[in-house]
Amino acid sequence: MDKDVRAKGPGKCPRCGMRLEAGISDLLEFPVSLKTLPAPVRAGRKAALQFRVLDPKNSSPVRDFEVVHEKLFHLFLVDEDLQYFEHVHPEARPDGSFHLDTVLPRPGIYRMLCDFYPKGGTPQFVPKTLTTAGYSKPLRKPDLKPDLARKQAESLSVGLSLEPANPIAGQKTLMFFTVDPASGLEPLLGAWGHLLAVSDDRIDMIHEHPAIADGGPVIQFNVIFPREAAYRVWVQFQRAGKVNTVAFTVPVAQLK
Ligand SMILES: [Cu+2]
């Protein structure tokens, strides 16, 4: 039986000929192994990162992935201070692994969010951690001050208002981003925007797409911040062929 074979309607499996059964994929976590060259990675030098997704049932490498937002694998990379941010797409190799050549700018502990959808599984968001060579300082929290001020990026500026104004952990926060100018706004990787929220202790990493957007100036994301923390929130919008990335800091309180 080929568990990874999917069809929209009834029929036979193209591989083994068995009748297809209706079903819902089990919610399973797919582990990701990360190898680097060199190991460990040295800050400021070229490094190659190799990601391999493993089948949780038999630990064999997964080779088939669904395309999500035009890519097979999205990777978000942030540093300890939550100042450095990358949203990149490691290249797929025939053996199912994904490769990225990068330079991590400074020594430290980097957090990554691997976002992919194994065929026959469910969408996966797997965080990984990488420490640069020789770095031994204890884990620390960056000192993040609330920052909701309008930001200027390459081809537009971005404002942010929140509802409720003081977000509560575990409850839905509506985030209204207002872009100026809005003319020439374009979808970026199949969405009107991309959002990554990371808690100041770097435990929570949330990747969201707009709940409401139509190419106009207001782009609404609905986010549930899981815990009381300061969250660094990056958003990306494309206008006139340019990708704009800006960051805000949103304090999230406990329900009183
Ligand atoms: Cu996205």
Side-chain angles (χ1 to χ4, degrees):
M1 194 154 127
D2 299 300
K3 278 266 184 205
D4 58 323
V5 170
R6 285 282 175 283
K8 288 211 170 79
K12 291 218 165 94
C13 172
R15 214 176 288 156
C16 70
M18 269 175 73
R19 196 160 53 84
L20 295 172
E21 282 171 45
I24 297 171
S25 303
D26 291 340
L27 199 63
L28 279 178
E29 276 182 38
F30 284 66
V32 175
S33 82
L34 169 61
K35 278 194 190 140
T36 68
L37 200 76
V41 168
R42 295 162 74 178
R45 304 275 188 89
K46 272 192 189 166
L49 274 47
Q50 183 207 66
F51 300 88
R52 202 178 271 288
V53 178
L54 302 175
D55 189 317
K57 287 180 186 138
N58 55 22
S59 295
S60 63
V62 175
R63 289 163 198 273
D64 294 318
F65 296 86
E66 303 280 356
V67 173
V68 180
H69 288 108
E70 302 174 5
K71 299 284 177 186
L72 295 173
F73 195 104
H74 296 257
L75 180 74
F76 292 90
L77 191 52
V78 299
D79 72 350
E80 257 186 299
D81 296 328
L82 298 180
Q83 299 302 318
Y84 172 79
F85 165 92
E86 292 271 16
H87 173 188
V88 288
H89 304 96
E91 177 205 332
R93 296 268 164 93
D95 67 356
S97 64
F98 291 91
H99 288 252
L100 180 75
D101 291 319
T102 190
V103 176
L104 300 179
R106 290 184 299 141
I109 301 168
Y110 289 78
R111 270 291 261 185
M112 281 168 273
L113 182 67
C114 307
D115 179 343
F116 56 91
Y117 187 169
K119 275 206 172 123
T122 54
Q124 303 285 312
F125 303 94
V126 181
K128 301 291 288 180
T129 306
L130 191 158
T131 304
T132 58
Y135 190 81
S136 58
K137 287 189 195 143
L139 210 62
R140 64 195 161 82
K141 259 194 200 181
D143 187 19
L144 296 180
K145 302 267 179 298
D147 176 13
L148 305 181
R150 178 167 280 274
K151 302 286 179 308
Q152 183 64 48
E154 258 204 281
S155 63
L156 47 70
S157 75
V158 185
L160 170 60
S161 67
L162 303 172
E163 205 182 294
N166 300 304
I168 305 289
Q171 298 193 4
K172 195 195 276 177
T173 299
L174 310 186
M175 306 184 80
F176 300 95
F177 294 93
T178 314
V179 297
D180 183 33
S183 62
L185 203 63
E186 297 157 344
L188 166 61
L189 296 168
W192 285 112
H194 297 257
L195 178 150
L196 181 78
V198 182
S199 58
D200 54 4
D201 55 11
R202 282 152 292 146
I203 289 172
D204 308 322
M205 299 183 86
I206 304 157
H207 177 199
E208 284 286 353
H209 298 106
I212 302 175
D214 61 1
V218 182
I219 300 123
Q220 179 186 337
F221 290 78
N222 298 342
V223 178
I224 296 175
F225 296 102
R227 292 175 307 127
E228 179 180 29
Y231 283 81
R232 192 88 173 135
V233 177
W234 287 269
V235 280
Q236 296 187 294
F237 302 111
Q238 182 169 316
R239 179 176 172 268
K242 294 228 157 45
V243 177
N244 295 269
T245 304
V246 294
F248 299 88
T249 301
V250 177
V252 175
Q254 198 81 39
L255 183 63
K256 296 248 161 53

